């Protein structure tokens, strides 16, 4: 990314207001409400969002608002404001008022979801997704070649007219200096979220997120991480998903758009150590070794059974189906993996596929299931982190990989869902920094149907 462009973006951010550290960012936007997120300076006493439907501009109407009272002196001061009583399929303009003064350039616009059910066919739409965003900070990075790449990929993403962005984990990278200090965890999220290059994307469309190891704790971290409760506080403060787990446990949740349900999984909070033996003393799968955990898996099963979506997407940080994965994979937890695949077969769940990250390359993996439709794992990575190539390794000849889908470069996914009812198609394009398509794959709803019982 050019120094001139970075300087220009930094100047825009500075001129907007020194009181706004980052944002505004659109959180979940529904039929009746929306969430506006931003982080403000420690000196801020109050934040107000004023919002008006575009159709009412120029008319004398009451301007609804919602106000947050800040935590004076807090180093990290993220704010999530819920805008309520909205109308479906309506564009709203909003402005930010801090300590009673409007903040120039800190407003924006959003459109609420369309009420299409029982009225018209499911809408066509697209969304963006990907994982692994590393912003260099030499004083705390490991010596040597910088790990973070060209961050202008986020400017390319901001040009997309997508419904939302789904972040698949490693959305920031805690460093050794951060791992065991609560202030370090907050610092990393605050510092990386404030990068000027991110701001246009944050403002452009709604954002949803799950985590993986690097934005949860140390590399390959699990439920033994000593600061996991603090890490959860940081994550939920910077990603205003509609919910986060249950009973204060985990961050799993679900988002729906059109005729697609996305089940956003937590692959860290309940996770057993990777080093735990996958088999017990008898050679059977070790029931104690879990990635998602019993509580979350029970939620997922019921959520899938309750879903009427054409496409049911399970988003989780690690790959799930790759038989040649050199890194963490759901198959490394065979008791849980077998239990879940048995559930899918027994309950005849249609329309299911996976979205995953972590691997620092992109690909689509196909998993055959005799007597049922194949499962697919669409892996997208990295946004800006280092590339991990499989070329030159045994994994390069992975027979489970769909031809033409291996991308060993910075990229993000553009996922399109379109077509008439009964003929819906989901298309994935791996898009490079400059907006070019580097790989593509698609599947129809008919290809994800359980064969009729004989």
């Amino acid at each position: 990314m050019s120094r001139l462009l970075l300087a220009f973006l930094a100047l825009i951010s500075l001129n907007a207001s020194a009181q706004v550290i980052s944002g505004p960012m659109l959180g979940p936007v529904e039929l009746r409400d929306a969430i506006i997120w931003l982080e403000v300076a420690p000196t801020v006493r109050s934040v107000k969002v004023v919002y008006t439907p575009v159709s009412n501009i120029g008319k004398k109407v009451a301007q609804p608002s919602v106000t947050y009272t800040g935590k004076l002196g807090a180093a990290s001061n993220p704010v999530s404001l819920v805008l309520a009583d909205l109308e479906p399929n309506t564009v709203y303009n909003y402005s930010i008022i801090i300590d009673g003064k409007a903040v120039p350039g800190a407003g924006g616009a959003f459109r609420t979801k369309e009420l299409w059910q029982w009225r018209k066919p499911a809408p066509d739409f697209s969304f963006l997704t990907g994982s692994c965003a590393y912003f260099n900070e030499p004083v705390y990075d490991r010596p040597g070649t910088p790990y973070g790449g060209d961050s202008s990929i986020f400017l390319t993403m901001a040009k997309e007219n997508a419904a939302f962005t789904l972040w698949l984990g490693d959305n920031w990278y805690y460093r050794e200096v951060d791992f065991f200090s609560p202030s370090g965890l907050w610092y990393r999220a605050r510092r990386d979220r404030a990068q000027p290059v991110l701001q246009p994307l944050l403002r452009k469309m709604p954002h949803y997120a799950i985590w993986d190891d690097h934005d949860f704790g140390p590399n390959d971290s699990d439920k033994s991480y000593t600061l996991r409760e603090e890490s959860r506080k940081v994550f939920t403060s910077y990603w205003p998903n509609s919910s986060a787990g249950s009973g204060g446990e985990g961050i799993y949740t679900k988002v729906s758009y059109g005729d697609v349900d996305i089940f956003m999984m937590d692959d860290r909070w309940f996770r057993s150590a990777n080093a735990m033996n996958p088999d017990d003393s008898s050679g059977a799968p070790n029931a104690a070794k879990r990635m998602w955990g019993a509580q979350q898996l029970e939620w997922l099963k019921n959520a899938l059974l309750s879903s009427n979506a054409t496409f049911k997407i399970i988003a989780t940080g690690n790959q799930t189906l790759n038989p040649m994965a050199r890194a963490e994979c759901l198959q490394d937890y065979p008791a849980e993996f077998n239990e879940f695949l048995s559930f899918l077969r027994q309950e005849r769940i249609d329309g299911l596929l996976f979205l995953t990250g972590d691997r620092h390359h992109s690909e689509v993996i196909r998993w055959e299931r005799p007597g049922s439709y194949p499962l697919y794992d669409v892996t997208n990575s990295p946004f800006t982190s280092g590339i991990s190539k499989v070329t030159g390794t045994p994994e390069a000849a992975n027979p489970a990989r769909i031809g033409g889908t291996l991308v060993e470069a910075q990229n993000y996914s553009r996922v399109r869902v379109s077509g008439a009812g009964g003929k819906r198609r989901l298309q994935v394009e791996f898009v490079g920094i400059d907006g070019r398509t580097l790989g593509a794959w698609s599947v129809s709803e008919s290809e994800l149907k359980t064969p009729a019982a004989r």
Side-chain angles (χ1 to χ4, degrees), residues 320 419 431:
T320 57
V431 184

Side-chain angles (χ1 to χ4, degrees), residues 308-334:
N308 294 316
T310 302
F311 296 106
K312 303 172 182 66
I313 298 175
I314 297 177
T316 190
N318 289 159
Q319 286 190 310
T320 57
L321 306 175
N322 188 352
M324 298 185 69
R326 291 178 288 132
E328 301 168 300
C329 186
L330 184 63
Q331 292 173 79
D332 297 331
Y333 298 74

Side-chain angles (χ1 to χ4, degrees), residues 85-161:
D85 298 323
L86 308 179
E87 287 297 320
N89 198 25
T90 301
V91 175
Y92 286 83
N93 288 333
Y94 68 90
S95 57
I96 307 295
I97 298 174
I98 292 180
D99 292 341
K101 297 181 180 179
V103 181
F110 62 89
R111 180 187 292 274
T112 50
K113 289 181 178 178
E114 181 180 8
L115 183 60
W116 61 272
Q117 294 88 339
W118 305 103
R119 293 161 175 80
K120 59 187 299 186
D124 296 345
F125 69 97
S126 67
F127 67 93
L128 310 182
T129 190
S131 65
C132 304
Y134 190 101
F135 292 100
N136 296 322
E137 189 177 17
V139 66
Y140 297 128
D141 293 344
R142 297 178 184 180
T145 303
Y147 192 58
D150 187 345
S151 56
S152 67
I153 192 170
F154 296 114
L155 298 178
T156 303
M157 294 171 68
K159 296 176 183 177
E160 298 264 13
N161 292 316

Side-chain angles (χ1 to χ4, degrees), residues 48-52 63-66 83 93-97:
K48 177 186 286 188
V49 176
V50 177
Y51 51 103
T52 307
Q63 288 190 312
S65 65
V66 59
L83 282 55
N93 288 333
Y94 68 90
S95 57
I96 307 295
I97 298 174

Side-chain angles (χ1 to χ4, degrees), residues 23-80:
M25 177 182 79
L26 287 172
V29 175
E30 293 293 338
L31 292 157
R32 284 294 198 182
D33 58 38
I35 296 178
I36 304 295
W37 179 99
L38 70 160
E39 180 156 20
V40 296
T43 55
V44 168
R45 294 178 178 274
S46 67
V47 180
K48 177 186 286 188
V49 176
V50 177
Y51 51 103
T52 307
V54 168
S55 59
N56 285 338
I57 290 179
K59 298 180 181 180
K60 291 185 178 180
V61 297
Q63 288 190 312
S65 65
V66 59
T67 302
Y68 164 85
T69 302
K71 299 173 289 186
L72 285 174
S76 297
N77 208 359
V79 178
S80 294

Side-chain angles (χ1 to χ4, degrees), residues 247-269:
E249 298 281 327
I251 57 140
Y252 57 90
T253 187
K254 187 186 87 167
V255 61
S256 300
Y257 198 98
D259 57 339
V260 175
D261 284 345
I262 302 176
F263 306 87
M264 299 165 57
M265 303 298 288
D266 181 339
D267 69 341
R268 295 294 160 182
W269 184 270

